[in-house]
Amino acid sequence: LRTRDRDTKMNSPISKKARATRNKANRTPEKALEVAERNRIAAQRSRDTKNNLVKDLEKENERKEDLLGSSFSEIDDLENRLAAKEVENEDLKTLLAAKEAENARKDTEIAALRRVLADAEIAARSLYPVGPS
């Protein structure tokens, strides 16, 4: 038979039923115990694999939760640092405004002194004229 024909024959419902009947007929009590033991071992392996996967997933979740927790604490730290910098910025703005006010006062004082000096120079020239009279 060609491969395709053989596969078709092996997978037909009649062939499957015939094989199942033949397999049951070939079973002895010892063979049945062997099969049961193999099935039990396979089921235990399946359970162990599932349990190991669950444990691995739980460990992964714990690791992710730890990372998330540390990320949140880092965010809190950064927010606190940002708040401190904003307060410092406001303090510096207040200090700058005070310095600008002081500079404006000094500029006003300098302008007043220049006027006094100019008035003094005018008065001095009138009292002590320079050059031919």
Side-chain angles (χ1 to χ4, degrees), residues 9-123:
K9 184 177 178 189
M10 293 291 286
N11 289 324
S12 72
I14 295 170
S15 295
K16 287 180 182 177
K17 192 170 186 181
R19 265 182 304 185
T21 306
R22 189 172 58 241
N23 288 342
K24 283 182 185 175
N26 288 337
R27 278 197 191 161
T28 61
E30 296 82 19
K31 189 77 166 175
L33 285 175
E34 249 182 66
V35 169
E37 182 62 17
R38 277 199 313 260
N39 288 344
R40 187 192 64 74
I41 291 170
Q44 184 60 44
R45 280 191 193 133
S46 176
R47 281 191 299 274
D48 290 346
T49 301
K50 185 182 112 194
N51 289 338
N52 288 339
L53 285 174
V54 168
K55 286 178 187 174
D56 290 346
L57 287 174
E58 286 172 350
K59 285 180 186 176
E60 182 69 15
N61 281 344
E62 286 177 16
R63 189 183 67 77
K64 286 181 180 178
E65 286 173 2
D66 290 344
L67 283 174
L68 190 60
S70 66
S71 294
F72 281 138
S73 65
E74 282 181 38
I75 289 171
D76 289 342
D77 290 345
L78 289 173
E79 286 175 343
N80 291 337
R81 286 176 47 200
L82 176 63
K85 288 291 183 185
E86 287 173 346
V87 168
E88 183 181 348
N89 193 22
E90 288 302 317
D91 291 346
L92 289 173
K93 283 181 181 177
T94 304
L95 186 60
L96 177 64
K99 290 287 184 186
E100 286 175 345
E102 184 180 346
N103 284 346
R105 184 186 56 76
K106 286 182 180 180
D107 286 345
T108 305
E109 211 174 291
I110 289 171
L113 289 173
R114 283 188 178 146
R115 284 193 300 276
V116 169
L117 180 62
D119 290 345
E121 285 176 350
I122 291 170

